[in-house]
Amino acid sequence: AYYTVTFQKWWWFATIVLATSVRSLLIHSDGMELLHGIDPHFIDFVAYGMTAVGLVNGVVGMAIHRAAGPDMFRVHLAKMAAYHFALLYLITQSSFWIMTIQEYGMRWIIYPSLLVIVNDSMAYFFGVLMGSRKLLPRLSPKKTVEGFVGAGVSTMLIAVPLLKFVMKGAEESSSSVPLARHAIVLALFVSLVAPFGGFLASAVKRAFDSKDFGTLIPGHGGVLDRIDCHVVTAPFVFLYLRQFLRK
Protein backbone atom coordinates (compact mmCIF):
# COMPACT_ATOMS: atom_id res chain seq x y z
CA ALA A 1 0.00 0.00 0.00
CA TYR A 2 2.79 2.41 0.92
CA TYR A 3 4.60 1.60 -2.32
CA THR A 4 1.47 2.18 -4.41
CA VAL A 5 0.70 5.56 -2.82
CA THR A 6 4.33 6.70 -3.04
CA PHE A 7 4.61 5.62 -6.68
CA GLN A 8 1.35 7.37 -7.54
CA LYS A 9 2.47 10.58 -5.83
CA TRP A 10 5.76 10.84 -7.72
CA TRP A 11 4.31 9.53 -10.98
CA TRP A 12 1.65 12.24 -11.07
CA PHE A 13 4.26 14.80 -10.06
CA ALA A 14 6.39 13.86 -13.11
CA THR A 15 3.32 13.82 -15.36
CA ILE A 16 2.12 17.28 -14.39
CA VAL A 17 5.61 18.80 -14.55
CA LEU A 18 6.00 17.37 -18.07
CA ALA A 19 2.58 18.62 -19.20
CA THR A 20 3.00 22.13 -17.79
CA SER A 21 6.48 23.42 -16.97
CA VAL A 22 8.42 21.34 -19.52
CA ARG A 23 5.88 22.13 -22.24
CA SER A 24 6.12 25.84 -21.44
CA LEU A 25 9.90 25.69 -21.77
CA LEU A 26 9.58 23.97 -25.15
CA ILE A 27 7.20 26.57 -26.54
CA HIS A 28 9.49 29.40 -25.45
CA SER A 29 12.83 27.64 -25.94
CA ASP A 30 14.57 30.10 -28.29
CA GLY A 31 18.30 29.62 -27.93
CA MET A 32 17.96 26.58 -25.65
CA GLU A 33 19.96 23.95 -27.50
CA LEU A 34 18.93 21.12 -25.18
CA LEU A 35 15.26 21.52 -26.11
CA HIS A 36 15.78 22.31 -29.78
CA GLY A 37 13.79 20.11 -32.12
CA ILE A 38 11.43 18.61 -29.54
CA ASP A 39 7.82 18.94 -30.62
CA PRO A 40 5.43 20.15 -27.86
CA HIS A 41 2.75 17.88 -29.37
CA PHE A 42 5.01 14.91 -28.65
CA ILE A 43 5.18 16.04 -25.02
CA ASP A 44 1.37 16.14 -24.96
CA PHE A 45 1.28 12.58 -26.26
CA VAL A 46 3.81 11.34 -23.69
CA ALA A 47 2.02 13.16 -20.87
CA TYR A 48 -1.28 11.55 -21.83
CA GLY A 49 0.42 8.14 -21.94
CA MET A 50 1.76 8.74 -18.44
CA THR A 51 -1.74 9.75 -17.34
CA ALA A 52 -3.11 6.44 -18.67
CA VAL A 53 -0.40 4.48 -16.83
CA GLY A 54 -1.16 6.37 -13.62
CA LEU A 55 -4.88 5.63 -13.99
CA VAL A 56 -4.33 1.90 -14.51
CA ASN A 57 -1.82 1.69 -11.65
CA GLY A 58 -4.15 3.51 -9.26
CA VAL A 59 -7.19 1.36 -10.02
CA VAL A 60 -5.27 -1.92 -9.92
CA GLY A 61 -3.53 -0.85 -6.70
CA MET A 62 -6.89 -0.34 -5.00
CA ALA A 63 -8.34 -3.56 -6.36
CA ILE A 64 -5.53 -5.86 -5.17
CA HIS A 65 -5.04 -4.22 -1.77
CA ARG A 66 -5.52 -6.71 1.05
CA ALA A 67 -7.96 -4.36 2.78
CA ALA A 68 -9.87 -3.50 -0.41
CA GLY A 69 -13.31 -2.18 0.42
CA PRO A 70 -15.28 1.07 0.82
CA ASP A 71 -13.22 2.37 3.76
CA MET A 72 -9.90 1.69 2.08
CA PHE A 73 -11.14 3.20 -1.20
CA ARG A 74 -12.19 6.40 0.58
CA VAL A 75 -8.80 6.76 2.28
CA HIS A 76 -6.85 6.03 -0.90
CA LEU A 77 -8.96 8.36 -3.06
CA ALA A 78 -8.70 11.13 -0.46
CA LYS A 79 -4.90 10.87 -0.56
CA MET A 80 -4.88 10.90 -4.35
CA ALA A 81 -7.21 13.91 -4.43
CA ALA A 82 -4.92 15.77 -2.00
CA TYR A 83 -1.84 14.98 -4.13
CA HIS A 84 -3.56 16.08 -7.34
CA PHE A 85 -4.85 19.26 -5.76
CA ALA A 86 -1.38 20.17 -4.50
CA LEU A 87 0.24 19.43 -7.85
CA LEU A 88 -2.32 21.31 -9.92
CA TYR A 89 -2.39 24.22 -7.48
CA LEU A 90 1.39 24.60 -7.33
CA ILE A 91 2.94 23.30 -10.53
CA THR A 92 0.28 24.21 -13.08
CA GLN A 93 -0.08 27.77 -11.82
CA SER A 94 3.62 28.32 -11.18
CA SER A 95 4.38 27.24 -14.78
CA PHE A 96 3.00 30.65 -15.74
CA TRP A 97 6.14 32.16 -14.19
CA ILE A 98 8.17 30.46 -16.91
CA MET A 99 5.96 31.87 -19.65
CA THR A 100 5.99 35.35 -18.12
CA ILE A 101 9.80 35.43 -17.94
CA GLN A 102 10.12 34.18 -21.51
CA GLU A 103 7.54 36.56 -22.97
CA TYR A 104 7.85 39.71 -20.87
CA GLY A 105 11.00 39.48 -18.78
CA MET A 106 11.98 39.11 -15.14
CA ARG A 107 10.67 42.54 -14.18
CA TRP A 108 7.09 41.29 -14.48
CA ILE A 109 7.91 38.53 -11.99
CA ILE A 110 9.65 40.85 -9.55
CA TYR A 111 6.94 43.52 -9.54
CA PRO A 112 3.93 41.30 -8.65
CA SER A 113 6.07 39.51 -6.06
CA LEU A 114 6.92 42.83 -4.40
CA LEU A 115 3.23 43.78 -4.41
CA VAL A 116 2.35 40.51 -2.67
CA ILE A 117 5.09 41.08 -0.09
CA VAL A 118 3.84 44.62 0.58
CA ASN A 119 0.25 43.41 0.89
CA ASP A 120 1.17 40.55 3.21
CA SER A 121 3.37 42.77 5.40
CA MET A 122 0.79 45.55 5.66
CA ALA A 123 -1.96 43.06 6.50
CA TYR A 124 0.13 41.91 9.45
CA PHE A 125 1.01 45.49 10.45
CA PHE A 126 -2.56 46.84 10.41
CA GLY A 127 -3.89 43.65 11.95
CA VAL A 128 -1.54 44.01 14.93
CA LEU A 129 -2.02 47.77 15.17
CA MET A 130 -5.80 48.07 14.97
CA GLY A 131 -7.26 44.67 14.12
CA SER A 132 -10.39 43.82 16.09
CA ARG A 133 -12.80 42.13 13.67
CA LYS A 134 -11.84 38.70 12.38
CA LEU A 135 -12.07 38.25 8.62
CA LEU A 136 -12.38 34.45 8.28
CA PRO A 137 -11.79 33.20 11.83
CA ARG A 138 -12.46 29.52 11.13
CA LEU A 139 -9.79 29.44 8.45
CA SER A 140 -7.24 32.00 9.59
CA PRO A 141 -7.91 33.34 13.10
CA LYS A 142 -5.15 35.98 12.94
CA LYS A 143 -6.41 37.71 9.77
CA THR A 144 -8.60 40.75 10.42
CA VAL A 145 -10.88 43.03 8.39
CA GLU A 146 -8.71 46.01 9.34
CA GLY A 147 -5.59 44.21 8.19
CA PHE A 148 -7.22 43.24 4.87
CA VAL A 149 -8.43 46.80 4.18
CA GLY A 150 -5.21 48.45 5.37
CA ALA A 151 -3.14 46.12 3.21
CA GLY A 152 -5.32 46.85 0.19
CA VAL A 153 -5.02 50.62 0.59
CA SER A 154 -1.25 50.40 1.15
CA THR A 155 -0.78 48.19 -1.91
CA MET A 156 -2.77 50.58 -4.10
CA LEU A 157 -0.76 53.58 -2.88
CA ILE A 158 2.62 51.98 -3.56
CA ALA A 159 1.65 50.27 -6.85
CA VAL A 160 2.37 53.04 -9.37
CA PRO A 161 5.68 54.38 -7.95
CA LEU A 162 6.88 50.81 -7.39
CA LEU A 163 6.17 49.82 -10.99
CA LYS A 164 7.95 52.92 -12.30
CA PHE A 165 10.96 52.02 -10.15
CA VAL A 166 11.03 48.38 -11.27
CA MET A 167 10.62 49.35 -14.93
CA LYS A 168 13.29 52.07 -14.83
CA GLY A 169 15.52 51.65 -17.86
CA ALA A 170 13.25 49.06 -19.51
CA GLU A 171 12.25 49.35 -23.15
CA GLU A 172 8.86 50.93 -23.79
CA SER A 173 6.15 48.50 -24.82
CA SER A 174 3.75 49.19 -27.68
CA SER A 175 0.77 48.91 -25.35
CA SER A 176 -1.77 51.72 -25.54
CA VAL A 177 -2.57 51.18 -21.85
CA PRO A 178 -0.64 53.56 -19.56
CA LEU A 179 1.86 51.98 -17.18
CA ALA A 180 -0.07 53.34 -14.20
CA ARG A 181 -3.16 51.43 -15.25
CA HIS A 182 -1.23 48.16 -15.30
CA ALA A 183 -0.06 48.92 -11.77
CA ILE A 184 -3.59 49.62 -10.52
CA VAL A 185 -5.05 46.45 -12.07
CA LEU A 186 -2.33 44.22 -10.65
CA ALA A 187 -2.56 45.91 -7.25
CA LEU A 188 -6.32 45.33 -7.18
CA PHE A 189 -5.85 41.64 -7.94
CA VAL A 190 -3.11 41.28 -5.32
CA SER A 191 -5.28 43.06 -2.74
CA LEU A 192 -8.64 41.43 -3.41
CA VAL A 193 -7.92 37.95 -4.80
CA ALA A 194 -4.36 36.83 -3.97
CA PRO A 195 -4.95 36.76 -0.17
CA PHE A 196 -7.49 34.00 -0.72
CA GLY A 197 -4.63 31.79 -1.85
CA GLY A 198 -3.35 32.19 1.69
CA PHE A 199 -6.78 31.42 3.12
CA LEU A 200 -7.00 28.28 1.00
CA ALA A 201 -3.56 27.24 2.22
CA SER A 202 -4.75 27.82 5.80
CA ALA A 203 -7.77 25.57 5.16
CA VAL A 204 -5.50 22.78 3.87
CA LYS A 205 -3.23 23.08 6.91
CA ARG A 206 -6.20 23.01 9.28
CA ALA A 207 -7.62 19.97 7.50
CA PHE A 208 -4.40 18.11 8.25
CA ASP A 209 -3.95 19.69 11.70
CA SER A 210 -0.64 21.27 10.73
CA LYS A 211 0.70 24.73 11.53
CA ASP A 212 2.98 24.97 8.49
CA PHE A 213 3.65 23.15 5.23
CA GLY A 214 7.29 22.59 6.11
CA THR A 215 10.20 23.52 8.35
CA LEU A 216 12.74 24.79 5.82
CA ILE A 217 12.53 28.42 7.01
CA PRO A 218 12.73 28.66 10.83
CA GLY A 219 9.78 30.60 12.21
CA HIS A 220 8.09 30.82 8.81
CA GLY A 221 7.46 27.19 7.83
CA GLY A 222 8.17 25.85 4.36
CA VAL A 223 8.49 27.41 0.93
CA LEU A 224 4.76 27.09 0.22
CA ASP A 225 3.99 29.05 3.38
CA ARG A 226 5.84 31.98 1.76
CA ILE A 227 4.51 31.71 -1.81
CA ASP A 228 0.85 30.68 -1.45
CA CYS A 229 -0.39 34.11 -2.61
CA HIS A 230 2.34 34.39 -5.27
CA VAL A 231 1.17 31.16 -6.90
CA VAL A 232 -2.37 32.52 -7.26
CA THR A 233 -1.03 35.73 -8.83
CA ALA A 234 1.18 34.03 -11.45
CA PRO A 235 -1.55 32.97 -13.96
CA PHE A 236 -3.32 36.32 -13.75
CA VAL A 237 -0.15 38.30 -14.44
CA PHE A 238 0.67 36.31 -17.57
CA LEU A 239 -2.90 36.31 -18.93
CA TYR A 240 -3.29 40.03 -18.21
CA LEU A 241 0.00 40.95 -19.89
CA ARG A 242 -0.79 38.80 -22.90
CA GLN A 243 -4.09 40.63 -23.31
CA PHE A 244 -3.04 44.21 -22.60
CA LEU A 245 0.73 44.51 -23.02
CA ARG A 246 2.40 44.30 -26.40
CA LYS A 247 6.12 43.58 -26.51
Side-chain angles (χ1 to χ4, degrees):
Y2 174 78
Y3 169 78
T4 301
V5 171
T6 303
F7 173 81
Q8 283 276 301
K9 178 171 63 175
W10 289 107
W11 184 264
W12 288 113
F13 172 78
T15 303
I16 292 176
V17 167
L18 183 69
T20 56
S21 299
V22 173
R23 193 180 191 283
S24 298
L25 285 170
L26 284 174
I27 293 173
H28 307 283
S29 61
D30 296 341
M32 297 180 68
E33 218 172 285
L34 180 66
L35 301 176
H36 183 69
I38 301 178
D39 187 353
H41 296 303
F42 175 72
I43 295 298
D44 294 338
F45 181 76
V46 173
Y48 182 78
M50 293 177 69
T51 301
V53 171
L55 170 66
V56 172
N57 177 268
V59 172
V60 172
M62 285 191 294
I64 65 175
H65 193 280
R66 62 185 179 186
D71 292 337
M72 178 267 166
F73 296 157
R74 277 192 292 270
V75 171
H76 184 80
L77 290 173
K79 288 181 178 179
M80 289 300 103
Y83 295 149
H84 281 72
F85 167 76
L87 292 170
L88 291 170
Y89 180 70
L90 291 173
I91 298 174
T92 303
Q93 296 197 98
S94 61
S95 67
F96 284 92
W97 279 325
I98 297 172
M99 294 187 285
T100 300
I101 292 173
Q102 295 284 352
E103 291 273 350
Y104 304 103
M106 192 66 187
R107 295 171 191 263
W108 287 105
I109 297 293
I110 294 172
Y111 176 66
S113 297
L114 291 174
L115 283 182
V116 171
I117 291 170
V118 168
N119 188 266
D120 194 42
S121 301
M122 290 298 101
Y124 176 79
F125 174 77
F126 282 102
V128 171
L129 188 67
M130 58 182 69
S132 59
R133 288 172 291 184
K134 302 298 183 183
L135 185 60
L136 297 171
R138 294 183 180 179
L139 289 182
S140 190
K142 294 182 179 179
K143 300 294 176 62
T144 64
V145 174
E146 293 81 2
F148 185 82
V149 174
V153 172
S154 301
T155 305
M156 295 300 297
L157 290 174
I158 197 66
V160 175
L162 183 61
L163 183 57
K164 289 180 178 178
F165 174 77
V166 171
M167 295 297 164
K168 189 180 295 183
E171 293 181 9
E172 292 291 327
S173 72
S174 59
S175 172
S176 59
V177 180
L179 201 62
R181 194 175 301 177
H182 295 317
I184 292 169
V185 171
L186 293 179
L188 279 171
F189 184 89
V190 166
S191 300
L192 299 177
V193 180
F196 287 87
F199 295 138
L200 178 60
S202 295
V204 173
K205 286 185 281 190
R206 287 189 167 276
F208 289 91
D209 196 26
S210 177
K211 183 179 182 294
D212 298 309
F213 282 111
T215 58
L216 182 64
I217 309 170
H220 294 277
V223 174
L224 181 54
D225 292 289
R226 296 296 92 206
I227 68 167
D228 45 13
C229 298
H230 297 265
V231 171
V232 174
T233 307
F236 176 77
V237 172
F238 175 77
L239 295 172
Y240 173 81
L241 293 177
R242 187 174 63 177
Q243 184 66 34
F244 296 106
L245 187 72
R246 300 291 179 266
K247 295 182 292 181

